[in-house]
Amino acid sequence: MVAAEKWDEATEIARRQVRNGAHIVDVCLQSTDRDEIKDIPSFYDKLIRKIKVPVMIDTTDAHAIELALTYCQGKGIINSINLEDGEEKLERVCPIARAYGAALIVGCIDEDKIQAQAFTRERKLAVAERSVRLLTEKYDIPAEDIVIDPLVFPCATGDANYIGGAVETIEAIRLIKEKIPYVKTVLGISNISFGLPAAAREVVNSVFLYHCTKAGLDLAIVNAEKLERFASIPEEERWLAEHLLLNTPPAMSDDPDLVTASDDWRKQTPEQKVAVNQLRIALITEHFRRAGKKEKVRKEDLPLDQRLANYIIEGTKDGLIPDLELKRAEGMSPLDIINGPLMAGMSDVGRLFNNNELIVAEVLQSAEAMKAAVNHLEQFMEKSEGSMRGKVLLATVKGDVHDIGKNLVEIILSNNGYRVINLGIKVPPEVLIRGFQEHHPDAIGLSGLLVKSAQQMVITAGDLRGAGIQVPLLVGGAALSDKFTRGKIAPAYGAATCYAKDAMTGLSLMNRIMDPRERDGLLSAHTFQEPVAFPEKPVEEPVVLIDARSRKVRTGLSIPPAPYLDRKVRDVPHLSEIWSYINPFMLYGRHLGYKGNFEKALAEHEPKALELFHNVEEVKHEAAQFMKVKAVWQFFEAERDGNVIHLFSPGATDHMHTFRFGRQAREDGLCLSDYILDPEDGRRDHLVLFVVTAGAGIREKSEEWKRQGIYFKAHGIQVLAIETAEGCAEWLHRRIREDWGFPDPPALTMQERFTSRYRGRRYSFGYPACPNLDDQQGIWKLLHPEEIGVHLTEGMMMEPEASVSALVFQHPDAVYFTAAEEPETVGAV
Ligand code: B1M
């Protein structure tokens, strides 16, 4: 590829290595028949756009090193220098390393005329100690930036000089880690198995790596695609490899010389050494000859159909088109290729997702590969031809601007053979009915975020029924539940109504609906004519709802003065600052599907975490070009009156607005009004209202990428926008605390901030403490968030979708709680 200057394909290997778990990519462009200096710009320019892991620059040419370093983001690693020609290489390369802050790989090689490459553990340690002393004391290289390479000699070439080399390397690592603090160690593993059959090499490499890692090895240069996982190596093969590496004599042999040989290769006689080595090489070679080509089948050796399915499963497009062309050349029609190997890949993606072996982010990359394949094949298909498994009419219900969930459903369905007519957001029933009459879909999918939207789904279902529409209805959305679907929506619709907790569930429901063997069973199981009586909560003793302040909330505390009373409207410029307030669990876990503690995994360079992090960084990179974060907030004088809070313009006697809140339906229940302290010497307490948004232009950008089949970015930008809005709410709340005179303790961590370990609380209408969304109108009346481009829909949702509104209380006893529903508060009482 480099010779053919196929830079895209060549750099794709790096991406595949990272996908296969590489934490660093070693790049060697040095070759006798090419001009490395000329190749570096073409190769590195593409490379750094594809991978976000550190690059190890593998060359001896100082100019090439410096040129390559100019492309490296973050810390580069120079591979390598040594003392073979004394300090010459150090003089040439160390200044460059210092200038770019690059780490240095130092080989255990010196000027020794007999054996420059240190073989014994003692010599390796000696050369390493001398190198580190020179580098740290004379060339001012920090010890942390030094990576010692104790060298690997092949153990199976029969060359007597190298017998025992594996043991010496393993023991040298142990010594170096013990004697030279701070430095790291690295090895080019694959040299150890040079000369063995490929399948034996993978096993010997893995077993050697295992022992080196146990000895303290930090970095290993390996072909991530060809590394057999130690745990999955059969016991017998592990044994064969270990005895070859350690040159262990056989327990039984009719050759007395062998049996008496010491287990420690250094105590073996030269004859014994060679004899043991020969025996071990013969045994492992014979085993793999008999085992036949067990070796992991190289991609290119896989059957074409399997390869085509793998592109989808692995979400890679590298080699996809040529293989599609190969398949077409075999005479298979484009439609059969789609419905055959490609769809097989997509259904495997579904299975792996349900087994938690693939996360949302990876499913999106699989969909991208599917889209690329279908786009390519469509040019060879009759217009009339279409691999349609079914047609789905999809919409977010009236009054709701929720897009992100619906779009994910569209991406998954449309790349599994379904034609999706996406009617968009805020879709009233009459538009849905017209859409049905125009497209005659096999099913209708309704989406919505809020409880209000779930209620709108009941109305919509009733209107669809009224229009005589009875195709299966699929519903989904964050505030929706299977219970509500069966209990309320299904009876209103009168035909099959299925709750889909996520997009992949939506897909498996559609697959069953379109499968004649499963259809009737599924439809009848999801048709509920009568509202399903759910066991009602035991009727508790009716608690007399009082409006007395809960005793759990202290009074008589001094009222912190408000810093300002005028309305603040801000464009929040520093995106990276706001992004530091994003809760990683929500962004990487909840929305992109990462399982486990993302931050910890990232710190440990866990491959999936790394790749996801870098893919999101790419989205951030794009978002930085156009994402706009805006905020509006204001402190209001506030007085409590039972369960209501009156807000006043500065010093006014008549209140300008009243919010009525629910109280916990229990003894001494809490109510948000309790957190407003009574006036003190005529000085009122305050309540802050704010609205923030990061949604401008997001939908348009996401639609554009969705049309182009760039699904990770299409979903990623929406996810980033909603979490940026939430991050901005966290950022602004902190700022309000500072302005209000009670900044967070300096030691407060962001994680503690995400769990509200600070004074006061912020509450958003619609959330349990103040569930009445209609109160949003009060915020709009007082704050005019239209000025930052946020509008309220008839369903009390904020448009754009990535927006958050909140009330901020300063009371130190404020906590989160669930209040009883309260009659609406609309306008001044
Ligand atoms: Co908030 N929010 N939120 N919110 N938010 C909820 C929904 C809420 C339940 C939290 C709570 O009370 N605990 C609550 C609603 C309660 C109620 O209705 N009263 C709520 C509220 C009140 C609000 C605000 C009003 C708060 C405020 O600012 N005053 C506000 C409204 C925003 C607006 O008006 N524009 C708001 C804002 C936000 C954020 C923007 C910060 C953010 C994004 C919202 C979004 O997704 N657009 C957000 C989030 C993240 C949530 C929670 C935590 C998670 C929602 C989520 O996962 N979205 C949610 C609480 C919770 O669920 N635990 C909550 C991601 C999206 C991909 O998932 O929408 O579920 P989802 O779609 C899924 C499935 O539902 C399914 O597949 C999709 C993909 O897997 N699916 C279908 C959906 N549609 C389908 C159609 C199908 C099939 C499957 O047809 C075939």
Side-chain angles (χ1 to χ4, degrees), residues 125 230 470 548 777 798 827:
L125 177 61
F230 185 77
Q470 294 289 277
Q777 297 168 91
M798 294 174 276

Side-chain angles (χ1 to χ4, degrees), residues 257-278:
D257 206 12
L258 273 181
V259 188
T260 56
S262 154
D263 276 358
D264 179 340
W265 79 274
R266 294 174 297 174
K267 297 198 182 75
Q268 295 167 354
T269 64
E271 297 67 28
Q272 285 173 331
K273 207 171 61 169
V274 171
V276 171
N277 183 247
Q278 290 304 327

Side-chain angles (χ1 to χ4, degrees), residues 206-218:
S206 300
V207 174
F208 181 53
L209 177 59
Y210 172 78
H211 286 282
C212 292
T213 313
K214 275 208 324 179
L217 182 67
D218 304 281

Side-chain angles (χ1 to χ4, degrees), residues 325-615:
E325 285 308 291
L326 270 179
K327 193 66 190 174
R328 277 191 342 102
E330 282 181 2
M332 183 182 263
S333 76
L335 195 54
D336 292 346
I337 298 174
I338 293 172
N339 293 337
L342 296 178
M343 256 328 146
M346 221 37 201
S347 65
D348 237 4
V349 167
R351 181 183 55 74
L352 292 166
F353 178 83
N354 295 335
N355 297 354
N356 284 333
E357 290 173 53
L358 277 182
I359 62 174
V360 172
E362 291 165 317
V363 171
L364 287 166
Q365 283 155 341
S366 297
E368 285 188 18
M370 186 67 176
K371 178 77 172 175
V374 173
N375 281 357
H376 175 73
L377 292 168
E378 270 168 351
Q379 61 189 307
F380 310 108
M381 290 157 69
E382 300 310 315
K383 278 283 156 278
S384 61
E385 271 185 294
S387 69
M388 197 165 71
R389 293 168 76 180
K391 202 188 291 183
V392 180
L393 189 65
L394 197 54
T396 296
V397 293
K398 185 178 175 204
D400 191 327
V401 301
H402 179 53
D403 208 17
I404 190 171
K406 166 178 63 63
N407 290 354
L408 197 52
V409 172
E410 179 196 356
I411 291 172
I412 300 298
L413 289 179
S414 60
N415 286 285
N416 277 278
Y418 291 94
R419 171 125 180 270
V420 178
I421 297 106
N422 187 337
L423 296 179
I425 58 170
K426 301 187 289 184
V427 179
E430 56 276 15
V431 174
L432 264 164
I433 293 165
R434 271 204 307 281
F436 178 85
Q437 285 147 357
E438 183 190 345
H439 299 285
H440 305 294
D442 301 294
I444 294 174
L446 298 181
S447 186
L449 179 79
L450 306 182
V451 171
K452 255 184 189 299
S453 319
Q455 290 148 356
Q456 177 59 43
M457 284 182 188
V458 176
I459 300 162
T460 304
D463 293 353
L464 292 173
R465 181 180 193 166
I469 297 170
Q470 294 289 277
V471 295
L473 183 64
L474 282 70
V475 293
L480 196 60
S481 68
D482 191 26
K483 183 179 174 187
F484 186 89
T485 302
R486 291 164 179 249
K488 302 273 190 270
I489 305 175
Y493 190 50
T497 309
C498 314
Y499 168 67
K501 73 173 174 36
D502 59 29
M504 297 304 274
T505 310
L507 172 65
S508 67
L509 281 167
M510 274 313 296
N511 290 348
R512 294 168 60 200
I513 288 168
M514 300 313 288
D515 179 338
R517 288 160 304 167
E518 296 216 45
R519 182 181 178 80
D520 298 348
L522 180 115
L523 298 191
S524 57
H526 288 81
T527 302
F528 304 90
Q529 297 299 355
E530 298 314 311
V532 173
F534 287 95
E536 291 309 323
K537 260 207 317 318
V539 181
E540 291 162 6
E541 275 308 299
V543 175
V544 182
L545 283 185
I546 59 162
D547 59 8
R549 192 194 306 265
S550 160
R551 292 186 297 282
K552 290 193 278 292
V553 180
R554 288 169 292 161
T555 55
L557 301 177
S558 68
I559 295 177
Y564 42 79
L565 291 171
D566 57 328
R567 190 170 72 107
K568 301 293 183 191
V569 180
R570 286 283 180 288
D571 284 3
V572 183
H574 316 298
L575 271 180
S576 50
E577 183 184 354
I578 296 299
W579 286 337
S580 69
Y581 282 80
I582 288 180
N583 181 341
F585 166 75
M586 285 303 291
L587 179 58
Y588 299 100
R590 165 97 200 198
H591 296 307
L592 295 171
Y594 189 84
K595 307 271 180 292
N597 177 331
F598 181 80
E599 285 183 297
K600 186 162 163 298
L602 195 62
E604 290 158 2
H605 295 284
E606 193 276 316
K608 268 200 185 181
L610 264 178
E611 181 172 359
L612 187 55
F613 176 76
H614 293 309
N615 289 340

